[in-house]
Amino acid sequence: MGPLRVLNLGAGGFIGSHLTQRLLAEGHIVTAVDLYSDKLGENLEHPRLTFLRQDIRGDWNLDELVEGSDLVIDLIAHANPGLYIRIPLDVFRLNFLENLKIAEACVRHGKHLIQFSTCEVYGRTAASLPHAALANPEDPIHATFAEDSSEFILGPVNKHRWIYSSAKQLLERVVHAYGLQEGFHYTIIRPFNFLGPKIDFLPSDNQDGVPRVFSFFMDALLTGAPLQLVNGGHQRRCYTHIEDAVECIYRIVINAGGVCDREIFNIGSPYNEVSIRQMAEIMREIYARRFATPGDPLSEIVELGGDEFYGSGYDDSDRRIPDITKARTLLGWEPRWRVQELLESTMEYHVDEFRRKRDALSVRVS
Ligand code: NAD
Ligand code: UGA
């Protein structure tokens, strides 16, 4: 197979920037579309990369770009829970309406679309329901989600966190329907909490933004503020290193033998389940051992309610473990990173970045 012309929408984000790096390293030709480009770094100068700073909510040459590509990857979304609470309508408009236009352009031009969805479509576990009468609610079987057989359990409409999950779910259903009725070629990816360098931003750098939990905890450790556990930090997540994730995504890009056509893939590490409380404790221990200045007080861990932290309408996934049988059997993929090393290496990157920026600032001021 020769080089692919890849239209990478959302290439300036966390996943998009790592994926762009891999696509370029493998010799492909990338058209990258995003509002921001800083995470693309030196790749902006790459001769096989064209970067288009574009808000996809306006008028733009979508059809022309889709027609000129071999493969379209759509990563664009509001992807942080804080936004689902603050601007639920914008979440619906971007994550469903705008993404649908991209999918329909791929249908019109007969192009394969890799659509990023989310593990949030699975929602909560049956074990979390108040009337659940399960013999062993802790059995991981109740929290292990498979692409083509698991039920989706979402909260009520007034818990509007679920608008993200619902918008992504509806997009999946429409894309699937185009496959059935019009022979559309697509692959849907459901990521399970990817983590690694360049995830989100530190809240102290962007006072208005609401990143994901790693960035809140990292920022707290760097500034001595408390690590805040929402609703006690009992919720569990399976963290997946971005390097493992990109390896799997790349195998989907190559799609050897067409095995990914009209398939949905969970991408995640079932080995890396931690509660958010455990994650806070591990990060605090790593910080004390590796990065803290001796004698400086270490951040405390405190608890607060979900509505207090995010605002009203917050709800949560209690637990989610990916069933990765499909990625294993069809793609021969297996995640390698384990949670301790994953957190330690991601922290190392962000501590270095924080100190580099702080030093640059103090040189400018003096
Ligand atoms: P991200 O926020 O880093 O990336 C999204 C990118 O979309 C950003 O660079 C942003 O600037 C861009 N974007 C937003 N609005 C835009 C607009 N109007 N026009 C042009 N660009 C716009 O998030 P991410 O973690 O890289 O996630 C990428 C995709 O994967 C999203 O669809 C997200 O829902 C999904 N996802 C990610 C994870 C994860 O673990 N990171 C988990 C589940 C789902
Ligand atoms: C997020 C988003 O829904 C999606 O981007 C994506 O589907 C998913 O991550 C993913 O990465 O797979 P979530 O895991 O809830 O979902 O996102 P975080 O903001 O990282 O929150 C994780 C947990 O930590 C939540 O229970 C949250 O309440 C908690 N939290 C968050 C804290 O306890 N303290 C904080 O400071 C921030």
Side-chain angles (χ1 to χ4, degrees):
M1 188 183 70
L4 292 170
R5 293 166 303 163
V6 181
L7 178 58
N8 193 6
L9 305 169
F14 166 51
I15 302 175
S17 57
H18 287 277
L19 183 58
T20 299
Q21 165 83 37
R22 177 71 184 266
L23 291 167
L24 292 172
E26 298 282 351
H28 303 292
I29 301 155
V30 181
T31 301
V33 175
D34 207 298
L35 294 166
Y36 305 105
S37 59
D38 42 308
K39 292 187 184 181
L40 289 166
E42 288 175 1
N43 282 328
L44 284 170
E45 309 302 325
H46 198 288
R48 276 184 279 105
L49 180 93
T50 306
F51 178 74
L52 303 174
R53 193 175 308 282
Q54 177 66 54
D55 186 336
I56 64 153
R57 293 167 297 185
D59 283 335
W60 62 303
N61 51 344
L62 170 63
D63 274 275
E64 191 190 317
L65 291 171
V66 168
E67 196 177 8
S69 62
D70 302 310
L71 172 70
V72 179
I73 302 175
D74 181 14
L75 292 138
I76 292 178
H78 290 307
N80 297 3
L83 299 174
Y84 322 158
I85 300 301
R86 282 191 191 178
I87 48 166
L89 254 189
D90 301 54
V91 169
F92 165 72
R93 287 185 181 127
L94 183 68
N95 297 9
F96 180 70
L97 295 176
E98 298 298 340
N99 277 299
L100 181 61
K101 291 179 193 164
I102 293 165
E104 289 184 331
C106 293
V107 174
R108 275 196 295 281
H109 297 286
K111 303 295 178 177
H112 190 143
L113 170 69
I114 298 180
Q115 178 63 57
F116 274 74
S117 183
T118 175
C119 61
E120 290 240 337
V121 295
Y122 297 111
R124 307 181 59 88
T125 67
S128 76
L129 299 176
H131 52 272
L134 302 170
N136 179 8
E138 273 300 301
D139 188 333
I141 200 154
H142 302 305
T144 302
F145 297 124
E147 297 91 337
D148 302 318
S149 55
S150 292
E151 311 291 340
F152 297 165
I153 305 177
L154 305 186
V157 168
N158 62 8
K159 298 290 184 196
H160 56 264
R161 177 211 175 103
W162 299 112
I163 197 163
Y164 170 78
S165 170
S166 309
K168 291 271 190 181
Q169 184 196 147
L170 186 56
L171 187 66
E172 284 196 22
R173 291 190 187 279
V174 175
V175 161
H176 174 80
Y178 270 116
L180 283 177
Q181 282 191 231
E182 302 193 11
F184 180 38
H185 281 267
Y186 67 84
T187 306
I188 289 169
I189 292 178
R190 295 182 184 152
F192 282 67
N193 289 78
F194 297 173
L195 193 57
K198 298 197 272 190
I199 185 158
D200 293 339
F201 49 84
L202 296 179
S204 57
D205 277 348
N206 176 352
Q207 307 290 343
D208 281 341
V210 188
R212 282 163 280 197
V213 67
F214 172 87
S215 307
F216 273 113
F217 287 174
M218 188 72 261
D219 200 48
L221 290 165
L222 286 162
T223 60
L227 279 71
Q228 301 182 324
L229 295 181
V230 171
N231 296 333
H234 305 297
Q235 320 80 298
R236 283 172 271 187
R237 298 290 188 266
C238 287
Y239 282 96
T240 312
H241 196 290
I242 188 69
E243 215 175 89
D244 279 336
V246 166
E247 180 57 39
C248 190
I249 299 165
Y250 189 67
R251 291 178 192 205
I252 291 172
V253 165
I254 295 307
N255 191 15
V259 293
C260 304
D261 288 356
R262 299 191 194 114
E263 290 289 352
I264 302 176
F265 286 91
N266 286 338
I267 301 183
S269 175
Y271 314 113
N272 288 347
E273 187 178 43
V274 284
S275 72
I276 300 302
R277 177 179 287 280
Q278 285 170 325
M279 181 171 169
E281 286 164 354
I282 297 170
M283 287 181 68
R284 192 168 179 270
E285 180 279 320
I286 294 171
Y287 192 80
R289 178 166 47 78
R290 292 273 319 271
F291 308 115
T293 309
D296 277 4
L298 207 55
S299 299
E300 295 301 321
I301 296 179
V302 301
E303 294 184 19
L304 81 177
D307 283 6
E308 200 186 333
F309 187 81
Y310 288 105
S312 68
Y314 184 69
D315 198 0
D316 209 348
S317 297
D318 52 314
R319 192 177 182 196
R320 51 196 193 206
I321 303 170
D323 178 331
I324 54 167
T325 310
K326 211 198 262 193
R328 272 195 193 114
T329 51
L330 294 184
L331 303 169
W333 176 75
E334 189 66 41
R336 303 194 178 286
W337 284 77
R338 297 297 176 263
V339 75
Q340 176 80 25
E341 297 77 47
L342 159 50
L343 286 172
E344 195 150 342
S345 76
T346 307
M347 287 176 70
E348 186 173 353
Y349 171 89
H350 287 93
V351 171
D352 286 351
E353 275 293 287
F354 176 83
R355 294 191 172 149
R356 192 183 55 73
K357 279 190 197 155
R358 187 195 52 195
D359 294 347
L361 200 66
S362 67
V363 169
R364 238 179 290 149
V365 170
S366 60

